[in-house]
Protein backbone atom coordinates (compact mmCIF):
# COMPACT_ATOMS: atom_id res chain seq x y z
CA UNK A 1 0.00 0.00 0.00
CA UNK A 2 1.30 3.45 -0.92
CA UNK A 3 2.36 5.80 1.83
CA UNK A 4 0.18 8.69 0.67
CA UNK A 5 -3.10 9.10 -1.16
CA UNK A 6 -2.37 11.05 -4.34
CA UNK A 7 -5.05 13.61 -5.24
CA UNK A 8 -5.00 15.46 -8.57
CA UNK A 9 -6.92 18.75 -8.61
CA UNK A 10 -8.11 19.54 -12.12
CA UNK A 11 -9.08 23.13 -12.98
CA UNK A 12 -9.15 25.20 -16.17
CA UNK A 13 -7.02 28.11 -14.92
CA UNK A 14 -5.33 29.43 -11.79
CA UNK A 15 -6.50 33.03 -11.61
CA UNK A 16 -7.39 34.61 -8.28
CA UNK A 17 -11.01 33.50 -8.08
CA UNK A 18 -12.56 31.90 -5.02
CA UNK A 19 -12.61 28.37 -6.45
CA UNK A 20 -8.93 28.57 -7.41
CA UNK A 21 -7.81 29.97 -4.07
CA UNK A 22 -9.51 27.17 -2.15
CA UNK A 23 -7.07 24.62 -3.57
CA UNK A 24 -3.96 25.95 -1.76
CA UNK A 25 -5.93 27.07 1.29
CA UNK A 26 -7.38 23.61 1.87
CA UNK A 27 -4.01 21.96 1.19
CA UNK A 28 -2.43 23.94 4.03
CA UNK A 29 -4.93 22.40 6.45
CA UNK A 30 -5.03 18.88 5.00
CA UNK A 31 -2.99 16.12 6.64
CA UNK A 32 -0.11 16.10 4.15
CA UNK A 33 1.49 13.14 5.89
CA UNK A 34 -1.48 11.19 4.54
CA UNK A 35 -2.31 13.02 1.30
CA UNK A 36 -0.14 14.23 -1.59
CA UNK A 37 -1.64 16.98 -3.74
CA UNK A 38 -1.06 17.87 -7.38
CA UNK A 39 -2.85 20.41 -9.58
CA UNK A 40 -3.21 20.27 -13.37
CA UNK A 41 -4.40 23.39 -15.19
CA UNK A 42 -4.72 24.44 -18.83
CA UNK A 43 -5.10 28.19 -19.37
CA UNK A 44 -2.14 30.36 -18.37
CA UNK A 45 -2.71 33.86 -16.97
CA UNK A 46 -0.04 36.36 -15.92
CA UNK A 47 -1.67 37.04 -12.55
CA UNK A 48 -2.00 33.49 -11.30
CA UNK A 49 -1.61 31.72 -7.97
CA UNK A 50 0.88 29.03 -8.98
CA UNK A 51 3.35 30.26 -6.37
CA UNK A 52 0.68 29.99 -3.66
CA UNK A 53 -0.07 26.40 -4.63
CA UNK A 54 3.61 25.49 -4.54
CA UNK A 55 4.06 27.20 -1.18
CA UNK A 56 1.14 25.07 0.10
CA UNK A 57 3.00 21.89 -0.91
CA UNK A 58 1.08 21.26 -4.16
CA UNK A 59 2.94 20.08 -7.26
CA UNK A 60 1.64 22.15 -10.22
CA UNK A 61 1.43 20.97 -13.85
CA UNK A 62 0.35 22.77 -17.04
CA UNK A 63 -1.05 21.37 -20.30
CA UNK A 64 -1.72 24.51 -22.42
CA UNK A 65 -5.26 24.67 -23.82
CA UNK A 66 -8.31 26.89 -24.23
CA UNK A 67 -11.92 25.94 -23.51
CA UNK A 68 -12.83 23.93 -26.61
CA UNK A 69 -9.27 22.62 -26.84
CA UNK A 70 -9.83 20.74 -23.59
CA UNK A 71 -11.73 18.06 -25.51
CA UNK A 72 -8.50 17.27 -27.39
CA UNK A 73 -6.57 16.84 -24.12
CA UNK A 74 -8.52 13.83 -22.83
CA UNK A 75 -5.89 11.27 -23.80
CA UNK A 76 -3.01 13.46 -22.55
CA UNK A 77 -4.69 13.85 -19.17
CA UNK A 78 -5.57 10.16 -19.04
CA UNK A 79 -1.93 9.24 -19.75
CA UNK A 80 -0.78 11.77 -17.14
CA UNK A 81 -3.06 10.20 -14.51
CA UNK A 82 -1.80 6.71 -15.33
CA UNK A 83 1.88 7.70 -15.37
CA UNK A 84 1.65 9.38 -11.97
CA UNK A 85 -0.58 6.73 -10.42
CA UNK A 86 -3.10 9.14 -8.91
CA UNK A 87 -5.73 7.77 -6.54
CA UNK A 88 -8.40 10.48 -6.84
CA UNK A 89 -9.31 13.02 -9.53
CA UNK A 90 -10.90 16.15 -8.02
CA UNK A 91 -12.26 18.58 -10.62
CA UNK A 92 -13.45 22.15 -10.10
CA UNK A 93 -15.93 24.14 -12.23
CA UNK A 94 -17.73 22.87 -15.35
CA UNK A 95 -15.00 22.69 -18.00
CA UNK A 96 -12.65 20.70 -15.79
CA UNK A 97 -15.59 18.61 -14.58
CA UNK A 98 -16.60 17.66 -18.12
CA UNK A 99 -12.98 16.79 -18.96
CA UNK A 100 -12.58 14.67 -15.81
CA UNK A 101 -15.67 12.63 -16.66
CA UNK A 102 -14.34 11.81 -20.13
CA UNK A 103 -10.89 11.02 -18.70
CA UNK A 104 -12.45 8.66 -16.16
CA UNK A 105 -14.33 6.61 -18.76
CA UNK A 106 -11.32 4.32 -19.29
CA UNK A 107 -9.73 4.63 -15.85
CA UNK A 108 -10.59 2.91 -12.60
CA UNK A 109 -10.24 6.10 -10.56
CA UNK A 110 -12.85 7.85 -8.40
CA UNK A 111 -13.92 11.27 -9.64
CA UNK A 112 -14.91 14.03 -7.21
CA UNK A 113 -16.35 17.27 -8.59
CA UNK A 114 -16.89 20.52 -6.71
CA UNK A 115 -19.64 22.81 -7.99
CA UNK A 116 -18.94 26.37 -6.90
CA UNK A 117 -21.97 28.10 -8.43
CA UNK A 118 -25.62 27.58 -9.27
CA UNK A 119 -26.08 26.09 -12.73
CA UNK A 120 -28.26 28.98 -13.90
CA UNK A 121 -25.21 31.26 -14.05
CA UNK A 122 -23.32 29.24 -16.67
CA UNK A 123 -23.36 29.93 -20.39
CA UNK A 124 -25.23 27.48 -22.61
CA UNK A 125 -22.21 25.39 -23.61
CA UNK A 126 -20.97 25.01 -20.02
CA UNK A 127 -24.48 24.33 -18.77
CA UNK A 128 -25.32 21.56 -21.23
CA UNK A 129 -21.88 19.97 -21.17
CA UNK A 130 -22.07 19.82 -17.39
CA UNK A 131 -25.65 18.56 -17.38
CA UNK A 132 -25.20 15.81 -19.97
CA UNK A 133 -22.07 14.34 -18.34
CA UNK A 134 -22.94 15.01 -14.72
CA UNK A 135 -23.86 11.47 -13.73
CA UNK A 136 -20.42 10.09 -14.65
CA UNK A 137 -18.63 10.86 -11.39
CA UNK A 138 -18.63 9.47 -7.88
CA UNK A 139 -19.38 12.49 -5.72
CA UNK A 140 -20.55 15.99 -6.56
CA UNK A 141 -19.76 18.50 -3.82
CA UNK A 142 -21.96 21.59 -3.54
CA UNK A 143 -20.44 24.58 -1.71
CA UNK A 144 -23.87 25.64 -0.43
CA UNK A 145 -27.38 24.26 -0.06
CA UNK A 146 -28.56 26.56 -2.86
CA UNK A 147 -25.93 25.13 -5.21
CA UNK A 148 -27.06 21.61 -4.25
CA UNK A 149 -30.67 22.55 -5.00
CA UNK A 150 -29.62 23.94 -8.37
CA UNK A 151 -27.97 20.59 -9.19
CA UNK A 152 -31.14 18.74 -8.23
CA UNK A 153 -33.43 20.99 -10.28
CA UNK A 154 -31.25 20.97 -13.39
CA UNK A 155 -29.88 17.43 -13.48
CA UNK A 156 -31.42 15.14 -16.11
CA UNK A 157 -31.04 12.27 -13.66
CA UNK A 158 -32.04 12.99 -10.08
CA UNK A 159 -28.73 12.64 -8.19
CA UNK A 160 -30.51 12.24 -4.87
CA UNK A 161 -33.04 9.49 -5.53
CA UNK A 162 -32.01 7.24 -8.38
CA UNK A 163 -28.85 5.69 -7.01
CA UNK A 164 -26.16 4.81 -9.51
CA UNK A 165 -22.68 6.18 -9.30
CA UNK A 166 -23.35 9.77 -8.35
CA UNK A 167 -23.93 11.16 -4.88
CA UNK A 168 -24.26 14.81 -3.89
CA UNK A 169 -22.82 16.19 -0.68
CA UNK A 170 -22.90 19.74 0.67
CA UNK A 171 -19.50 20.90 1.94
CA UNK A 172 -19.72 24.60 2.63
CA UNK A 173 -16.68 26.75 1.97
CA UNK A 174 -14.46 27.55 4.91
CA UNK A 175 -11.83 30.03 6.09
CA UNK A 176 -8.66 29.52 8.08
CA UNK A 177 -9.58 31.68 11.06
CA UNK A 178 -6.09 31.39 12.52
CA UNK A 179 -4.86 33.40 9.52
CA UNK A 180 -7.84 35.63 8.78
CA UNK A 181 -8.46 37.70 11.88
CA UNK A 182 -8.56 41.25 13.14
CA UNK A 183 -5.06 42.73 13.15
CA UNK A 184 -3.63 44.08 16.37
CA UNK A 185 -1.32 46.46 14.53
CA UNK A 186 -2.21 50.07 13.87
CA UNK A 187 -4.17 50.53 10.64
CA UNK A 188 -3.67 54.31 10.45
CA UNK A 189 -0.40 54.12 8.51
CA UNK A 190 -1.92 51.77 5.95
CA UNK A 191 -4.86 54.16 5.51
CA UNK A 192 -2.45 57.04 5.07
CA UNK A 193 -0.64 55.23 2.24
CA UNK A 194 -3.94 54.84 0.41
CA UNK A 195 -4.95 58.46 0.99
CA UNK A 196 -7.78 57.61 3.38
CA UNK A 197 -8.18 59.93 6.41
CA UNK A 198 -7.73 58.08 9.69
CA UNK A 199 -11.25 58.86 10.94
CA UNK A 200 -13.03 57.97 7.66
CA UNK A 201 -15.12 54.78 7.60
CA UNK A 202 -14.34 52.37 4.76
CA UNK A 203 -16.82 50.24 2.81
CA UNK A 204 -15.13 47.57 0.70
CA UNK A 205 -15.26 44.41 -1.35
CA UNK A 206 -12.83 41.83 -2.74
CA UNK A 207 -13.88 40.46 -6.12
CA UNK A 208 -13.05 39.48 -9.64
CA UNK A 209 -14.69 42.21 -11.73
CA UNK A 210 -17.23 39.95 -13.45
CA UNK A 211 -20.80 40.78 -14.49
CA UNK A 212 -22.28 38.59 -11.73
CA UNK A 213 -20.82 40.95 -9.09
CA UNK A 214 -22.79 43.91 -10.51
CA UNK A 215 -20.09 46.33 -9.43
CA UNK A 216 -21.76 49.15 -11.39
CA UNK A 217 -24.57 48.87 -8.83
CA UNK A 218 -21.99 48.75 -6.04
CA UNK A 219 -20.56 52.06 -7.29
CA UNK A 220 -24.06 53.51 -7.71
CA UNK A 221 -24.82 52.71 -4.06
CA UNK A 222 -21.48 54.26 -3.04
CA UNK A 223 -22.30 57.49 -4.90
CA UNK A 224 -25.69 57.72 -3.16
CA UNK A 225 -24.02 57.25 0.22
CA UNK A 226 -21.36 59.87 -0.57
CA UNK A 227 -23.99 62.48 -1.33
CA UNK A 228 -25.11 62.17 2.31
CA UNK A 229 -21.79 61.14 3.91
CA UNK A 230 -18.88 62.60 1.94
CA UNK A 231 -16.31 61.38 4.49
CA UNK A 232 -16.85 57.68 3.61
CA UNK A 233 -14.26 55.94 1.45
CA UNK A 234 -14.78 52.92 -0.82
CA UNK A 235 -12.22 50.18 -1.42
CA UNK A 236 -12.25 47.60 -4.23
CA UNK A 237 -9.65 44.83 -4.24
CA UNK A 238 -9.44 42.92 -7.51
CA UNK A 239 -9.50 43.29 -11.28
CA UNK A 240 -11.30 41.91 -14.31
CA UNK A 241 -13.15 42.56 -17.54
CA UNK A 242 -15.51 45.17 -16.04
CA UNK A 243 -12.78 47.42 -14.67
CA UNK A 244 -12.85 50.01 -17.47
CA UNK A 245 -16.59 50.56 -17.06
CA UNK A 246 -16.26 50.87 -13.28
CA UNK A 247 -13.37 53.33 -13.53
CA UNK A 248 -15.33 55.48 -16.01
CA UNK A 249 -18.38 55.45 -13.73
CA UNK A 250 -16.26 56.56 -10.77
CA UNK A 251 -14.51 59.31 -12.74
CA UNK A 252 -17.85 60.71 -13.93
CA UNK A 253 -19.32 60.68 -10.40
CA UNK A 254 -17.32 63.62 -9.06
CA UNK A 255 -16.26 61.50 -6.07
CA UNK A 256 -13.18 59.81 -7.53
CA UNK A 257 -11.04 60.85 -4.54
CA UNK A 258 -13.24 58.67 -2.30
CA UNK A 259 -12.65 55.48 -4.32
CA UNK A 260 -9.59 53.26 -4.06
CA UNK A 261 -9.09 50.49 -6.63
CA UNK A 262 -5.96 48.66 -5.50
CA UNK A 263 -6.00 45.84 -8.05
CA UNK A 264 -5.25 42.19 -7.38
CA UNK A 265 -3.53 41.63 -4.05
CA UNK A 266 -1.80 38.45 -2.96
CA UNK A 267 -2.20 39.47 0.69
CA UNK A 268 -5.74 40.72 1.30
CA UNK A 269 -5.85 40.63 5.11
CA UNK A 270 -4.61 44.23 5.62
CA UNK A 271 -7.26 45.48 3.19
CA UNK A 272 -10.02 43.51 4.92
CA UNK A 273 -8.91 45.05 8.19
CA UNK A 274 -9.40 48.53 6.74
CA UNK A 275 -13.05 47.82 6.07
CA UNK A 276 -15.83 48.83 8.42
CA UNK A 277 -18.50 47.28 6.17
CA UNK A 278 -18.25 44.55 3.52
CA UNK A 279 -20.73 45.40 0.76
CA UNK A 280 -21.88 42.91 -1.90
CA UNK A 281 -24.34 43.62 -4.70
CA UNK A 282 -24.00 40.27 -6.51
CA UNK A 283 -26.69 38.78 -8.73
CA UNK A 284 -25.56 35.22 -8.03
CA UNK A 285 -22.90 33.46 -5.98
CA UNK A 286 -21.90 30.05 -4.73
CA UNK A 287 -20.58 30.77 -1.25
CA UNK A 288 -18.16 33.72 -1.54
CA UNK A 289 -14.82 33.07 0.14
CA UNK A 290 -13.86 36.75 0.31
CA UNK A 291 -16.99 37.53 2.31
CA UNK A 292 -16.18 34.76 4.81
CA UNK A 293 -12.62 36.08 5.09
CA UNK A 294 -13.94 39.58 5.82
CA UNK A 295 -16.27 38.17 8.47
CA UNK A 296 -13.34 36.34 10.08
CA UNK A 297 -11.67 39.77 10.32
CA UNK A 298 -14.73 41.06 12.23
CA UNK A 299 -16.30 42.99 9.36
CA UNK A 300 -20.13 43.10 9.22
CA UNK A 301 -21.75 42.37 5.86
CA UNK A 302 -24.39 44.19 3.83
CA UNK A 303 -25.34 42.06 0.84
CA UNK A 304 -27.93 40.81 -1.57
CA UNK A 305 -29.28 37.39 -0.72
CA UNK A 306 -27.36 35.75 -3.60
CA UNK A 307 -26.49 32.06 -3.57
CA UNK A 308 -25.13 30.83 -0.27
CA UNK A 309 -24.87 34.31 1.30
CA UNK A 310 -28.27 33.81 2.93
CA UNK A 311 -26.97 30.59 4.51
CA UNK A 312 -24.23 32.54 6.30
CA UNK A 313 -25.66 35.94 7.21
CA UNK A 314 -28.53 36.12 9.67
CA UNK A 315 -30.28 39.40 8.90
CA UNK A 316 -29.74 41.80 11.77
CA UNK A 317 -27.05 39.70 13.46
CA UNK A 318 -23.90 39.53 11.30
CA UNK A 319 -25.15 42.23 8.95
CA UNK A 320 -28.09 42.99 6.69
CA UNK A 321 -29.53 41.29 3.61
CA UNK A 322 -31.77 42.41 0.76
CA UNK A 323 -33.40 40.46 -2.04
CA UNK A 324 -31.36 40.45 -5.25
CA UNK A 325 -33.74 42.80 -7.10
CA UNK A 326 -34.02 45.10 -4.06
CA UNK A 327 -30.36 46.17 -4.25
CA UNK A 328 -31.26 49.84 -3.63
CA UNK A 329 -32.05 48.89 -0.01
CA UNK A 330 -28.34 48.19 0.52
CA UNK A 331 -27.84 51.95 0.85
CA UNK A 332 -30.02 52.35 3.94
CA UNK A 333 -28.47 49.30 5.61
CA UNK A 334 -24.97 50.71 5.06
CA UNK A 335 -26.11 54.05 6.40
CA UNK A 336 -27.49 52.41 9.54
CA UNK A 337 -24.10 50.84 10.25
CA UNK A 338 -22.21 54.03 9.38
CA UNK A 339 -24.21 55.95 11.97
CA UNK A 340 -23.85 53.36 14.73
CA UNK A 341 -20.27 52.39 15.54
CA UNK A 342 -21.31 50.10 18.40
CA UNK A 343 -23.64 48.17 16.10
CA UNK A 344 -20.78 47.77 13.61
CA UNK A 345 -18.55 46.32 16.32
CA UNK A 346 -21.28 44.03 17.63
CA UNK A 347 -22.08 42.66 14.17
CA UNK A 348 -18.38 42.36 13.36
CA UNK A 349 -17.76 40.17 16.39
CA UNK A 350 -20.87 38.10 15.58
CA UNK A 351 -19.51 37.64 12.06
CA UNK A 352 -16.26 36.12 13.29
CA UNK A 353 -18.12 33.81 15.71
CA UNK A 354 -20.34 32.62 12.85
CA UNK A 355 -17.30 31.73 10.69
CA UNK A 356 -15.44 30.01 13.55
CA UNK A 357 -18.43 27.90 14.54
CA UNK A 358 -19.84 27.02 11.12
CA UNK A 359 -17.47 27.91 8.28
CA UNK A 360 -13.98 27.05 9.44
CA UNK A 361 -11.40 25.60 7.05
CA UNK A 362 -10.83 22.73 9.49
CA UNK A 363 -14.49 21.69 9.24
CA UNK A 364 -14.36 21.90 5.45
CA UNK A 365 -11.13 19.88 5.16
CA UNK A 366 -12.38 17.19 7.54
CA UNK A 367 -15.43 16.75 5.28
CA UNK A 368 -13.26 16.58 2.14
CA UNK A 369 -10.92 13.99 3.64
CA UNK A 370 -13.91 11.88 4.67
CA UNK A 371 -15.20 12.00 1.07
CA UNK A 372 -11.77 11.04 -0.31
CA UNK A 373 -11.58 8.00 1.97
CA UNK A 374 -15.17 6.98 1.18
CA UNK A 375 -14.71 7.05 -2.61
CA UNK A 376 -11.46 5.11 -2.32
CA UNK A 377 -13.09 2.46 -0.15
CA UNK A 378 -15.98 2.18 -2.60
CA UNK A 379 -13.58 1.78 -5.56
CA UNK A 380 -11.63 -0.99 -3.81
CA UNK A 381 -14.69 -2.88 -2.59
Amino acid sequence: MKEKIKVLHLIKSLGRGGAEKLIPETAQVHDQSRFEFHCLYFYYQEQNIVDELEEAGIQVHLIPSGNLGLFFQVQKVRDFVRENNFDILHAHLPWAGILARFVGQKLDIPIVYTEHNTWERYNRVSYWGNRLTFKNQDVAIAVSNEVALSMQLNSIWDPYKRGGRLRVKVVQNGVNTDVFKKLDVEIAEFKKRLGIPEDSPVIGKVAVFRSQKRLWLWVAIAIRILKKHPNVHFLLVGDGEWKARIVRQIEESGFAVNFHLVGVQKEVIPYLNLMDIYLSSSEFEGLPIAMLEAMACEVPVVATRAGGIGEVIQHGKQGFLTEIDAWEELEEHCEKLLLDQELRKKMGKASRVQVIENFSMKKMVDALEKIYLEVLAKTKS
Side-chain angles (χ1 to χ4, degrees):
M1 183 175 179
K2 291 185 296 185
E3 289 185 4
K4 293 185 181 182
I5 296 167
K6 294 181 71 173
V7 179
L8 176 63
H9 287 289
L10 199 67
I11 194 164
K12 186 180 78 172
S13 66
L14 287 173
R16 293 188 175 273
E20 294 85 351
K21 286 180 63 181
L22 274 175
I23 296 175
E25 288 172 1
T26 52
Q28 289 173 335
V29 181
H30 272 295
D31 181 359
Q32 293 198 27
S33 68
R34 195 175 189 186
F35 295 90
E36 178 179 311
F37 293 98
H38 294 246
C39 181
L40 177 61
Y41 75 110
F42 304 90
Y43 180 70
Y44 179 81
Q45 297 167 278
E46 287 293 331
Q47 292 182 328
N48 61 41
I49 59 168
V50 170
D51 57 336
E52 293 176 33
L53 270 75
E54 292 175 340
E55 289 169 8
I58 301 170
Q59 298 178 50
V60 183
H61 315 271
L62 170 66
I63 296 178
S65 177
N67 279 355
L68 295 177
L70 285 178
F71 295 109
F72 299 98
Q73 310 302 331
V74 172
Q75 191 57 50
K76 283 186 181 179
V77 176
R78 194 177 284 148
D79 291 342
F80 180 76
V81 171
R82 284 193 181 114
E83 289 165 8
N84 290 275
N85 199 23
F86 291 111
D87 297 293
I88 296 169
L89 190 55
H90 187 166
H92 303 263
L93 301 171
W95 285 102
I98 296 164
L99 175 62
R101 294 162 203 145
F102 280 111
V103 168
Q105 285 180 349
K106 295 184 180 180
L107 294 177
D108 186 23
I109 184 172
I111 298 171
V112 177
Y113 172 66
T114 295
E115 186 58 89
H116 296 267
N117 290 289
T118 55
W119 282 16
E120 293 80 10
R121 66 143 291 185
Y122 293 126
N123 63 48
R124 191 168 294 179
V125 176
S126 299
Y127 174 87
W128 279 105
N130 206 26
R131 184 173 180 178
L132 290 169
T133 62
F134 197 67
K135 192 73 172 179
N136 299 320
Q137 58 202 6
D138 294 271
V139 174
I141 296 172
V143 301
S144 71
N145 289 306
E146 183 160 334
V147 169
L149 179 60
S150 175
M151 288 183 191
Q152 184 181 22
L153 294 175
N154 287 280
S155 183
I156 292 174
W157 303 279
D158 188 334
Y160 292 90
K161 295 181 180 177
R162 295 193 178 180
R165 186 178 181 187
L166 176 62
R167 292 174 297 146
V168 170
K169 291 183 176 288
V170 176
V171 179
Q172 292 171 312
N173 287 338
V175 171
N176 189 336
T177 54
D178 291 333
V179 175
F180 286 88
K181 57 187 176 182
K182 192 170 183 64
L183 296 176
D184 295 325
V185 298
E186 182 58 54
I187 297 298
E189 185 59 34
F190 198 63
K191 272 189 168 183
K192 185 178 180 181
R193 291 208 307 268
L194 291 176
I196 301 174
E198 186 177 348
D199 59 349
S200 290
V202 176
I203 297 176
K205 182 176 176 65
V206 180
V208 179
F209 291 13
R210 298 185 181 123
S211 60
Q212 75 180 80
K213 306 297 182 181
R214 301 195 302 183
L215 291 177
W216 63 92
L217 298 181
W218 195 95
V219 174
I221 295 161
I223 293 168
R224 292 185 184 190
I225 292 170
L226 284 167
K227 288 177 179 178
K228 300 178 186 176
H229 307 278
N231 66 319
V232 180
H233 283 246
F234 293 84
L235 174 65
L236 281 171
V237 182
D239 204 342
E241 59 193 279
W242 282 83
K243 183 177 179 180
R245 174 177 174 174
I246 299 306
V247 169
R248 184 167 63 252
Q249 184 183 4
I250 290 170
E251 289 174 347
E252 292 172 354
S253 72
F255 292 102
V257 70
N258 291 75
F259 287 89
H260 308 270
L261 277 65
V262 298
V264 174
Q265 297 292 327
K266 181 178 178 180
E267 181 56 74
V268 299
I269 296 174
Y271 295 94
L272 294 174
N273 272 270
L274 287 185
M275 299 178 192
D276 295 282
I277 300 169
Y278 189 89
L279 172 63
S280 176
S281 53
S282 293
E283 181 180 12
F284 49 83
E285 292 281 1
L287 183 54
I289 296 296
M291 182 192 76
L292 293 175
E293 292 172 345
M295 292 174 69
C297 294
E298 299 185 21
V299 183
V301 175
V302 175
T304 51
R305 196 183 293 272
I309 291 177
E311 297 171 30
V312 181
I313 303 298
Q314 298 163 291
H315 183 74
K317 188 168 183 180
Q318 296 90 14
F320 297 107
L321 297 176
T322 73
E323 297 306 317
I324 293 167
D325 292 335
W327 60 270
E328 292 175 318
E329 296 174 10
L330 296 170
E331 176 192 352
E332 63 181 86
H333 291 314
C334 284
E335 190 170 15
K336 185 172 184 178
L337 284 170
L338 287 171
L339 296 173
D340 193 335
Q341 187 175 8
E342 288 305 311
L343 181 62
R344 290 203 309 264
K345 288 181 179 178
K346 180 181 178 181
M347 287 188 164
K349 290 186 182 301
S351 292
R352 179 166 173 81
V353 170
Q354 172 74 322
V355 173
I356 289 172
E357 291 183 351
N358 298 298
F359 300 94
S360 72
M361 186 62 72
K362 179 67 167 58
K363 181 178 180 180
M364 179 185 180
V365 166
D366 286 347
L368 288 175
E369 290 188 358
K370 183 179 180 182
I371 289 170
Y372 289 160
L373 296 175
E374 285 176 352
V375 294
L376 279 176
K378 185 178 178 182
T379 302
K380 294 173 181 178
S381 61

